[in-house]
Amino acid sequence: MLAPIAWRTPPRAYGPWELVTSLLTEALVARGHQVTLFATEDSRTAATLDAVVPAPYSEDPEIDAKVWEMRHVAHAMERAGDFDIIHNQADFVPLGFTRLTRTPMVMTLHARPSDRILPMLAEYQHDAHYVAISDTDRHPDLRYAATIPHGIDVSSFPFVADGGEDLLFFGRMHPDKGPADAIRAARHAGRRLRMYGVMQDQGYFDREVAAHIDGDAVIYDGAIGGQARLEALGNARAMLHLIGFDEPFGLSVVEAMACGTPVLACRRGSMELRSDHGRTGVVVDTLDEAVDAVGRAHLIDRAACRAHVAERFSVDAMADGYVDLYRAVLNRSVTAPGR
């Protein structure tokens, strides 16, 4: 299992790709599979950890992302012959090694490919088995072996029957995630907004968000992990996910619903696939619709939110999907035509 190295596996707070990598790795080990995890040296796993990167590059300024990513990937690929399958969770760089080994590669595409990355993915699509995380995230110019949604350990998210009165924003401080729109919707709805997430676009934050953070109507507590993260996800009337891009999956959306918190999301990307409209959340097209949905959020059955996640987005369901794919690849019932 080849993890990214932006954050530790699993991450201390933010790090969705590393989190999914960890969840799948631990689920496979629990089922008796022999797994070697290639990740940063501080990573934690029940698998065999093989690491050459001292620390995540997003946490240690001494770690040059380009240099250490190449060393990390090269180290894993030099051991390719030791494994039945390489599962690449670390983006496009490992693809450049696929023609140098006979070990098949499964690659999870954690985001819909941009035009900048597409040439690399198109070139190697017959040398690896691509997995989409939602049907809306598939690119029409690429060949996919499967669609396997992310899964979470639902039991690790406490159910909160009464989430309180505040609204929740949980995501990157970036226009894609819509923190400024969340502030506007909360203000018009007359609700306090509690905001959590890593700083990714300081300029946008300074222009559109910072002036509204007053410690009363709008509270921003940065990136959080552990128990504080669980409490934030559960102790809200609703989560505002008023995104400005086509969301590939929305891991925090699923996590919030696992705690019982309904999600009010823009109709972009995979959001209609994540939420059962009217039952576990509301999909909206405008800010006015979002404000109206806030007023009706208390009518949504929080137990139904959790049941929806347990049924469709569990870590066991994700592991089942990947094990089936691994077997199909090894049995050559899914074949990369270029091999």
Side-chain angles (χ1 to χ4, degrees):
M1 188 73 67
L2 183 53
I5 59 167
W7 308 95
R8 188 190 75 174
T9 302
R12 295 173 179 84
Y14 180 78
W17 294 19
E18 289 83 354
L19 177 58
V20 170
T21 302
S22 176
L23 287 167
L24 179 57
T25 298
E26 304 313 304
L28 293 173
V29 172
R31 294 173 178 218
H33 298 284
Q34 294 182 344
V35 183
T36 297
L37 173 67
F38 292 87
T40 57
E41 288 182 359
D42 60 346
S43 295
R44 298 178 180 178
T45 182
T48 300
L49 177 64
D50 193 339
V52 294
V53 184
Y57 64 75
S58 291
E59 299 179 20
D60 187 342
E62 297 299 315
I63 301 296
D64 183 290
K66 186 174 182 180
V67 170
W68 282 98
E69 181 180 27
M70 185 56 68
R71 184 170 177 197
H72 169 64
V73 171
H75 173 69
M77 297 304 294
E78 285 164 4
R79 289 198 56 198
D82 297 338
F83 307 110
D84 296 318
I85 279 187
I86 298 164
H87 189 153
N88 170 30
Q89 305 264 12
D91 216 352
F92 61 86
V93 170
L95 291 173
F97 293 81
T98 54
R99 295 173 187 172
L100 305 178
T101 175
R102 296 179 62 84
T103 305
M105 176 182 287
V106 168
M107 177 179 174
T108 299
L109 275 63
H110 288 269
R112 184 180 175 86
S114 68
D115 290 341
R116 295 173 63 186
I117 297 175
L118 187 60
M120 185 73 173
L121 296 176
E123 172 65 23
Y124 288 93
Q125 64 181 314
H126 300 304
D127 301 283
H129 303 273
Y130 293 166
V131 176
I133 58 176
S134 68
D135 286 336
T136 60
D137 211 40
R138 286 177 172 242
H139 194 287
D141 294 338
L142 296 179
R143 172 183 175 273
Y144 294 84
T147 297
I148 303 175
H150 290 333
I152 64 171
D153 178 6
V154 180
S155 66
S156 68
F157 291 85
F159 174 67
V160 182
D162 181 2
E165 298 301 320
D166 295 344
L167 299 176
L168 170 68
F169 171 86
F170 205 102
R172 296 174 282 125
M173 286 297 158
H174 188 280
D176 281 353
K177 291 294 185 176
D181 282 338
I183 291 172
R184 295 185 188 99
R187 181 191 298 119
H188 287 301
R191 294 281 172 183
R192 174 160 44 190
L193 178 66
R194 302 200 67 114
M195 309 184 78
Y196 306 88
V198 296
M199 182 63 62
Q200 194 171 65
D201 189 329
Q202 187 70 54
Y204 165 79
F205 179 81
D206 293 342
R207 292 189 309 272
E208 303 288 339
V209 178
H212 302 286
I213 298 173
D214 58 6
D216 182 20
V218 180
I219 301 170
Y220 173 47
D221 288 320
I224 55 172
Q227 184 61 32
R229 182 169 176 269
L230 297 176
E231 291 176 359
L233 288 166
N235 293 330
R237 168 171 285 222
M239 175 176 168
L240 296 177
H241 200 63
L242 306 181
I243 48 176
F245 80 129
D246 291 334
E247 177 74 76
F249 185 83
L251 199 59
S252 63
V253 167
V254 172
E255 292 172 338
M257 286 193 294
C259 295
T261 299
V263 177
L264 315 181
C266 284
R267 198 185 308 275
R268 296 288 301 269
S270 65
M271 287 301 92
E272 288 185 282
L273 301 178
R274 299 294 154 258
S275 176
D276 186 350
H277 181 72
R279 181 170 173 266
T280 65
V282 180
V283 181
V284 303
D285 294 299
T286 67
L287 185 65
D288 286 343
E289 288 181 3
V291 173
D292 181 67
V294 170
R296 294 183 285 110
H298 66 286
L299 301 175
I300 293 175
D301 183 354
R302 294 177 68 93
C305 294
R306 184 177 180 86
H308 177 71
V309 174
E311 179 183 353
R312 298 188 57 188
F313 304 114
S314 71
V315 68
D316 284 335
M318 175 175 66
D320 285 344
Y322 278 111
V323 169
D324 287 345
L325 177 58
Y326 299 155
R327 287 174 174 156
V329 169
L330 294 174
N331 292 334
R332 298 185 181 277
S333 35
V334 173
T335 305
R339 287 195 170 274

